[in-house]
Amino acid sequence: SDGVAIDNENNGSNSSAAEEIAKQLREKALNLRREATSAEQSLRSATERKKEIENVQADNWIDSLLGLTPSATVANNVPVASTLALRLQANNLLSPSKLMRICERLHERETAMMVGPEGFLSKDTNVIGGGFVLGDYENNSMERKREETDRISGLLDRVLEAVQIIDEERGQSMNELCPKLRMRITDLRQSRDALIRRKIDNLVNSSSANIDKKEKELDNLVRSSFYGESDDDESKSEERKKKERIMKRLIETPTWLPPFIAPFAATSPAEVSVAHWKMIKSDILADSKFTCTSWDATEVAAIYRGRISTRSIANGNESDEDTVADLFDELLAKVQNHPELSTKLQLFIVDDFEWRPPMDMGMSYGPKEDGPPPVIIALAKEAVPEQESERSMTTKSLAVFSTLTALFTTFAYAVSSFALNSSFFNAVVKENDAASLSLCLPLFFGVLAISALHEVAHIVASRKYGVKLGKPVPLPSLQVGSFGNITPLRSFPSSRTALFDIAISGPGVAMLASLAMIILGLRMTMTAQSFTYFPVVPAAVMKSSFLIGSIASIVFPKVMLASLAQPIPIHPLFLVGLAGLVSSSVNLLPIGRLDGGRASMAAYGRRPASLISLLSLLALAFYSFSGVSGVIIFWGALVVLTQQRLAEMPSRNEVTGINGIRVSIYNALLILSLLTLAPFPGGVS
């Protein structure tokens, strides 16, 4: 028992010693933890201070690129790449480390604006170093944040483009910098997008039911405001849904989408996923001459901005337009051969609608921008012009009415041409001999034939280029029977050359045929033995046109000596040619969707053609109100009523123009049309 007691005492003392050692160890561990926490906090603070200093320095560099000053603290416009290249040089920011830091800082601000409350491209004097304004969700709307995100992203892409300009200017000295910067930003953006996508998926999955309920309530409120009823029973017609969708797209049309393409995007029955828009950049533009620097997209359209590499032009004699044409043909071939995009997308190449001339800073660096650069516009494959099957019953009824009216006015033109023929007048009016009206049939069918020739020329040219045409709608004329036809395009022309050939073929062929008939008709009148069955018109008809009067002065000079009211028998071929010449001339006027407007746009470009069309409409209005010409008055009314004054649909390639021969042909035909519509001296138009 004594031994057991001694052992218990030893065990008690050993336990106390162990507890004391454990206590000391715990205190030492706590001290080490406190020291580690303090060291970690000090390191974190030092890192944050260093990061803040680096951010302030990078923000100041960005301010210098934006041209911000104490008096101008808001960057309203993102400078163009050439301006940024100048500012990079002027502020000594060409070192790789500085450029990398600028790009990384811009990416940080882009990400902050997308996922947090900060990032505006503005200066705040209350922030140390004058950095970016730190906003909050309450005072800054999502629309504002989205706009700022786009501006920051645009500035980052412009900086990369400026570095590329510097690379090309310096040759081998910096030719590896731009690819490194672009690869770094691409990696950062991909990581950021993946993180945001995961966060969004979590939020959507956790609250999708509430969101759907609120959206439905909001939709019902909007519908009840417009229609006085809700849509809980899902009874709204498909037609109303379609109109609402089109209206919504038109209201939300981005500024980069040209107005001549926007209507087709708005009426597209199909939408395109973001993945397919990205395929254009990764699969179509990646290995082409077009270096994509930025892109933007909606559910039905996308834009790809960039530069066409000058190094890719192997032939020194190749023009810029030829380079664009070759590039676009290459892109179209890639899309056509792509397993997914060939059935979902179509491409256009147009001038940048948002382009504005850069400010002249007195320095020249990089390529000079003399005009808007080309951009690639992508639309859904289903975004096409209105088809014949989509025409409303009202439109079809008006087309039938216009056709019947044109037939009536053409026959009236033929009958009126014989009104001064005494034999015809006596037979029809006094003897009620309706059979005498058969004398008018050659003239009636002749006018219809010249109009048909006009349309056949359009059809031949359109089939050559694979462009679909709509059914022609004849336009009546009280003066010459028919003004020709409205022939709508049902598919996009491949180029301005295709548009020109289709447009000019109809009036060009008809005008040449009409001139031949006028000359032949005058000749046959001179050699005729009897005028019993000839139309009889006043001599004023010969002097109503400068071109016709000039031809008559050469071929049949005696007729030009007669007074304006003198009745003159004339061969029917002359009057057929007269009708064809006048209808071709008015169609060649450079206005909107007329043949002349289409040819003008193909020859001079969309912007100059719009100005020419406006001036032509003003001249048409002046002559209409002045009462100088009955033809112009009636034609001006038809142009306005049939909406032919509006601009024509785009070609797939709006950048590449037509050759000089075609421009000369159009100018010559336009001069002939103006000479036709101008009166001969001493005559009345």
Side-chain angles (χ1 to χ4, degrees), residues 460-486:
V460 171
S462 65
R463 288 184 177 177
K464 174 184 176 182
Y465 292 102
V467 177
K468 294 195 296 184
L469 299 180
K471 295 179 180 179
V473 179
L475 293 177
S477 169
L478 297 176
Q479 293 79 19
V480 292
S482 172
F483 277 135
N485 303 276
I486 296 177

mmCIF file of all heavy atoms in Angstrom, residues 460-486:
data_model
loop_
_atom_site.group_PDB
_atom_site.id
_atom_site.type_symbol
_atom_site.label_atom_id
_atom_site.label_comp_id
_atom_site.label_asym_id
_atom_site.label_seq_id
_atom_site.Cartn_x
_atom_site.Cartn_y
_atom_site.Cartn_z
ATOM 1 N N VAL A 460 -33.052 39.704 -116.490
ATOM 2 C CA VAL A 460 -31.817 39.091 -116.994
ATOM 3 C C VAL A 460 -30.633 39.460 -116.099
ATOM 4 O O VAL A 460 -29.818 38.608 -115.722
ATOM 5 C CB VAL A 460 -31.562 39.525 -118.450
ATOM 6 C CG1 VAL A 460 -30.173 39.074 -118.905
ATOM 7 C CG2 VAL A 460 -32.634 38.958 -119.376
ATOM 8 N N ALA A 461 -30.536 40.740 -115.739
ATOM 9 C CA ALA A 461 -29.426 41.180 -114.891
ATOM 10 C C ALA A 461 -29.523 40.575 -113.492
ATOM 11 O O ALA A 461 -28.501 40.175 -112.906
ATOM 12 C CB ALA A 461 -29.412 42.705 -114.807
ATOM 13 N N SER A 462 -30.729 40.480 -112.944
ATOM 14 C CA SER A 462 -30.877 39.931 -111.595
ATOM 15 C C SER A 462 -30.523 38.453 -111.553
ATOM 16 O O SER A 462 -29.933 37.978 -110.580
ATOM 17 C CB SER A 462 -32.312 40.152 -111.097
ATOM 18 O OG SER A 462 -33.238 39.418 -111.883
ATOM 19 N N ARG A 463 -30.880 37.719 -112.598
ATOM 20 C CA ARG A 463 -30.525 36.293 -112.626
ATOM 21 C C ARG A 463 -29.023 36.094 -112.756
ATOM 22 O O ARG A 463 -28.473 35.122 -112.218
ATOM 23 C CB ARG A 463 -31.251 35.608 -113.783
ATOM 24 C CG ARG A 463 -32.756 35.454 -113.537
ATOM 25 C CD ARG A 463 -33.445 34.700 -114.648
ATOM 26 N NE ARG A 463 -34.869 34.502 -114.355
ATOM 27 C CZ ARG A 463 -35.727 33.918 -115.169
ATOM 28 N NH1 ARG A 463 -35.304 33.440 -116.346
ATOM 29 N NH2 ARG A 463 -37.000 33.784 -114.826
ATOM 30 N N LYS A 464 -28.365 37.008 -113.412
ATOM 31 C CA LYS A 464 -26.904 36.929 -113.528
ATOM 32 C C LYS A 464 -26.252 36.980 -112.151
ATOM 33 O O LYS A 464 -25.263 36.290 -111.883
ATOM 34 C CB LYS A 464 -26.392 38.064 -114.408
ATOM 35 C CG LYS A 464 -24.872 38.160 -114.468
ATOM 36 C CD LYS A 464 -24.421 39.361 -115.279
ATOM 37 C CE LYS A 464 -22.902 39.489 -115.248
ATOM 38 N NZ LYS A 464 -22.435 40.684 -115.994
ATOM 39 N N TYR A 465 -26.796 37.805 -111.250
ATOM 40 C CA TYR A 465 -26.197 37.988 -109.926
ATOM 41 C C TYR A 465 -26.941 37.223 -108.832
ATOM 42 O O TYR A 465 -26.594 37.351 -107.653
ATOM 43 C CB TYR A 465 -26.169 39.480 -109.567
ATOM 44 C CG TYR A 465 -25.219 40.278 -110.417
ATOM 45 C CD1 TYR A 465 -25.686 41.062 -111.475
ATOM 46 C CD2 TYR A 465 -23.847 40.257 -110.180
ATOM 47 C CE1 TYR A 465 -24.815 41.808 -112.253
ATOM 48 C CE2 TYR A 465 -22.972 40.997 -110.956
ATOM 49 C CZ TYR A 465 -23.463 41.762 -111.992
ATOM 50 O OH TYR A 465 -22.590 42.502 -112.763
ATOM 51 N N GLY A 466 -27.947 36.443 -109.199
ATOM 52 C CA GLY A 466 -28.661 35.654 -108.203
ATOM 53 C C GLY A 466 -29.498 36.465 -107.245
ATOM 54 O O GLY A 466 -29.660 36.084 -106.080
ATOM 55 N N VAL A 467 -30.060 37.578 -107.703
ATOM 56 C CA VAL A 467 -30.898 38.438 -106.872
ATOM 57 C C VAL A 467 -32.364 38.205 -107.232
ATOM 58 O O VAL A 467 -32.722 38.216 -108.414
ATOM 59 C CB VAL A 467 -30.530 39.926 -107.056
ATOM 60 C CG1 VAL A 467 -31.461 40.821 -106.239
ATOM 61 C CG2 VAL A 467 -29.079 40.160 -106.660
ATOM 62 N N LYS A 468 -33.199 38.011 -106.227
ATOM 63 C CA LYS A 468 -34.621 37.798 -106.473
ATOM 64 C C LYS A 468 -35.349 39.129 -106.584
ATOM 65 O O LYS A 468 -35.098 40.043 -105.808
ATOM 66 C CB LYS A 468 -35.232 36.967 -105.344
ATOM 67 C CG LYS A 468 -34.707 35.542 -105.277
ATOM 68 C CD LYS A 468 -35.586 34.678 -104.394
ATOM 69 C CE LYS A 468 -35.566 35.146 -102.963
ATOM 70 N NZ LYS A 468 -36.355 34.245 -102.076
ATOM 71 N N LEU A 469 -36.248 39.222 -107.565
ATOM 72 C CA LEU A 469 -37.060 40.410 -107.764
ATOM 73 C C LEU A 469 -38.514 40.104 -107.435
ATOM 74 O O LEU A 469 -38.978 38.978 -107.621
ATOM 75 C CB LEU A 469 -36.962 40.909 -109.214
ATOM 76 C CG LEU A 469 -35.582 41.328 -109.719
ATOM 77 C CD1 LEU A 469 -35.682 41.785 -111.171
ATOM 78 C CD2 LEU A 469 -34.991 42.429 -108.861
ATOM 79 N N GLY A 470 -39.217 41.117 -106.957
ATOM 80 C CA GLY A 470 -40.643 40.974 -106.719
ATOM 81 C C GLY A 470 -41.440 41.181 -107.997
ATOM 82 O O GLY A 470 -40.893 41.531 -109.054
ATOM 83 N N LYS A 471 -42.721 40.967 -107.912
ATOM 84 C CA LYS A 471 -43.585 41.176 -109.075
ATOM 85 C C LYS A 471 -43.675 42.666 -109.394
ATOM 86 O O LYS A 471 -43.931 43.476 -108.501
ATOM 87 C CB LYS A 471 -44.971 40.606 -108.798
ATOM 88 C CG LYS A 471 -44.996 39.087 -108.623
ATOM 89 C CD LYS A 471 -46.400 38.595 -108.333
ATOM 90 C CE LYS A 471 -46.418 37.074 -108.160
ATOM 91 N NZ LYS A 471 -47.776 36.574 -107.850
ATOM 92 N N PRO A 472 -43.467 43.034 -110.655
ATOM 93 C CA PRO A 472 -43.544 44.461 -111.007
ATOM 94 C C PRO A 472 -44.965 44.988 -110.908
ATOM 95 O O PRO A 472 -45.931 44.281 -111.244
ATOM 96 C CB PRO A 472 -43.026 44.492 -112.451
ATOM 97 C CG PRO A 472 -43.261 43.114 -112.977
ATOM 98 C CD PRO A 472 -43.111 42.186 -111.808
ATOM 99 N N VAL A 473 -45.079 46.207 -110.442
ATOM 100 C CA VAL A 473 -46.386 46.874 -110.319
ATOM 101 C C VAL A 473 -46.388 48.081 -111.249
ATOM 102 O O VAL A 473 -45.636 49.031 -111.028
ATOM 103 C CB VAL A 473 -46.645 47.321 -108.876
ATOM 104 C CG1 VAL A 473 -47.993 48.046 -108.774
ATOM 105 C CG2 VAL A 473 -46.596 46.135 -107.923
ATOM 106 N N PRO A 474 -47.194 48.084 -112.327
ATOM 107 C CA PRO A 474 -47.220 49.216 -113.260
ATOM 108 C C PRO A 474 -47.731 50.489 -112.594
ATOM 109 O O PRO A 474 -48.600 50.452 -111.719
ATOM 110 C CB PRO A 474 -48.176 48.746 -114.367
ATOM 111 C CG PRO A 474 -48.249 47.267 -114.220
ATOM 112 C CD PRO A 474 -48.063 46.982 -112.765
ATOM 113 N N LEU A 475 -47.183 51.624 -113.033
ATOM 114 C CA LEU A 475 -47.609 52.926 -112.537
ATOM 115 C C LEU A 475 -48.303 53.680 -113.665
ATOM 116 O O LEU A 475 -47.725 53.857 -114.745
ATOM 117 C CB LEU A 475 -46.406 53.733 -112.041
ATOM 118 C CG LEU A 475 -45.692 53.199 -110.791
ATOM 119 C CD1 LEU A 475 -44.494 54.064 -110.475
ATOM 120 C CD2 LEU A 475 -46.641 53.145 -109.612
ATOM 121 N N PRO A 476 -49.520 54.128 -113.463
ATOM 122 C CA PRO A 476 -50.249 54.832 -114.536
ATOM 123 C C PRO A 476 -49.704 56.238 -114.756
ATOM 124 O O PRO A 476 -49.114 56.851 -113.860
ATOM 125 C CB PRO A 476 -51.675 54.876 -114.002
ATOM 126 C CG PRO A 476 -51.521 54.851 -112.513
ATOM 127 C CD PRO A 476 -50.315 54.002 -112.237
ATOM 128 N N SER A 477 -49.905 56.733 -115.958
ATOM 129 C CA SER A 477 -49.513 58.098 -116.313
ATOM 130 C C SER A 477 -50.590 58.701 -117.203
ATOM 131 O O SER A 477 -51.022 58.079 -118.180
ATOM 132 C CB SER A 477 -48.169 58.100 -117.047
ATOM 133 O OG SER A 477 -47.905 59.369 -117.603
ATOM 134 N N LEU A 478 -51.000 59.908 -116.858
ATOM 135 C CA LEU A 478 -51.986 60.598 -117.678
ATOM 136 C C LEU A 478 -51.375 61.182 -118.937
ATOM 137 O O LEU A 478 -52.095 61.540 -119.870
ATOM 138 C CB LEU A 478 -52.634 61.735 -116.863
ATOM 139 C CG LEU A 478 -53.432 61.304 -115.628
ATOM 140 C CD1 LEU A 478 -53.917 62.533 -114.884
ATOM 141 C CD2 LEU A 478 -54.584 60.411 -116.018
ATOM 142 N N GLN A 479 -50.046 61.269 -118.986
ATOM 143 C CA GLN A 479 -49.368 61.907 -120.118
ATOM 144 C C GLN A 479 -48.877 60.895 -121.152
ATOM 145 O O GLN A 479 -49.045 61.092 -122.353
ATOM 146 C CB GLN A 479 -48.172 62.749 -119.623
ATOM 147 C CG GLN A 479 -48.561 63.953 -118.802
ATOM 148 C CD GLN A 479 -48.904 63.590 -117.368
ATOM 149 O OE1 GLN A 479 -48.535 62.529 -116.878
ATOM 150 N NE2 GLN A 479 -49.642 64.469 -116.705
ATOM 151 N N VAL A 480 -48.230 59.807 -120.703
ATOM 152 C CA VAL A 480 -47.643 58.846 -121.641
ATOM 153 C C VAL A 480 -48.161 57.432 -121.397
ATOM 154 O O VAL A 480 -47.540 56.463 -121.840
ATOM 155 C CB VAL A 480 -46.099 58.875 -121.560
ATOM 156 C CG1 VAL A 480 -45.560 60.187 -122.101
ATOM 157 C CG2 VAL A 480 -45.629 58.633 -120.127
ATOM 158 N N GLY A 481 -49.256 57.289 -120.694
ATOM 159 C CA GLY A 481 -49.846 55.971 -120.498
ATOM 160 C C GLY A 481 -49.324 55.238 -119.292
ATOM 161 O O GLY A 481 -50.087 54.794 -118.436
ATOM 162 N N SER A 482 -48.004 55.070 -119.203
ATOM 163 C CA SER A 482 -47.412 54.324 -118.092
ATOM 164 C C SER A 482 -46.038 54.899 -117.778
ATOM 165 O O SER A 482 -45.275 55.253 -118.678
ATOM 166 C CB SER A 482 -47.288 52.839 -118.434
ATOM 167 O OG SER A 482 -46.553 52.146 -117.437
ATOM 168 N N PHE A 483 -45.744 54.986 -116.498
ATOM 169 C CA PHE A 483 -44.424 55.439 -116.049
ATOM 170 C C PHE A 483 -43.483 54.256 -115.804
ATOM 171 O O PHE A 483 -42.448 54.419 -115.163
ATOM 172 C CB PHE A 483 -44.545 56.247 -114.764
ATOM 173 C CG PHE A 483 -44.901 57.694 -114.997
ATOM 174 C CD1 PHE A 483 -45.869 58.300 -114.234
ATOM 175 C CD2 PHE A 483 -44.254 58.438 -115.970
ATOM 176 C CE1 PHE A 483 -46.194 59.635 -114.435
ATOM 177 C CE2 PHE A 483 -44.574 59.771 -116.178
ATOM 178 C CZ PHE A 483 -45.548 60.374 -115.408
ATOM 179 N N GLY A 484 -43.820 53.098 -116.269
ATOM 180 C CA GLY A 484 -43.003 51.929 -115.983
ATOM 181 C C GLY A 484 -43.562 51.157 -114.812
ATOM 182 O O GLY A 484 -44.767 51.148 -114.573
ATOM 183 N N ASN A 485 -42.684 50.498 -114.064
ATOM 184 C CA ASN A 485 -43.118 49.616 -112.987
ATOM 185 C C ASN A 485 -42.276 49.822 -111.737
ATOM 186 O O ASN A 485 -41.102 50.226 -111.814
ATOM 187 C CB ASN A 485 -42.989 48.145 -113.416
ATOM 188 C CG ASN A 485 -43.763 47.830 -114.677
ATOM 189 O OD1 ASN A 485 -44.959 47.569 -114.652
ATOM 190 N ND2 ASN A 485 -43.068 47.864 -115.811
ATOM 191 N N ILE A 486 -42.891 49.527 -110.609
ATOM 192 C CA ILE A 486 -42.138 49.392 -109.357
ATOM 193 C C ILE A 486 -41.702 47.940 -109.246
ATOM 194 O O ILE A 486 -42.543 47.039 -109.215
ATOM 195 C CB ILE A 486 -43.005 49.772 -108.145
ATOM 196 C CG1 ILE A 486 -43.402 51.241 -108.204
ATOM 197 C CG2 ILE A 486 -42.270 49.484 -106.846
ATOM 198 C CD1 ILE A 486 -44.331 51.656 -107.071
#
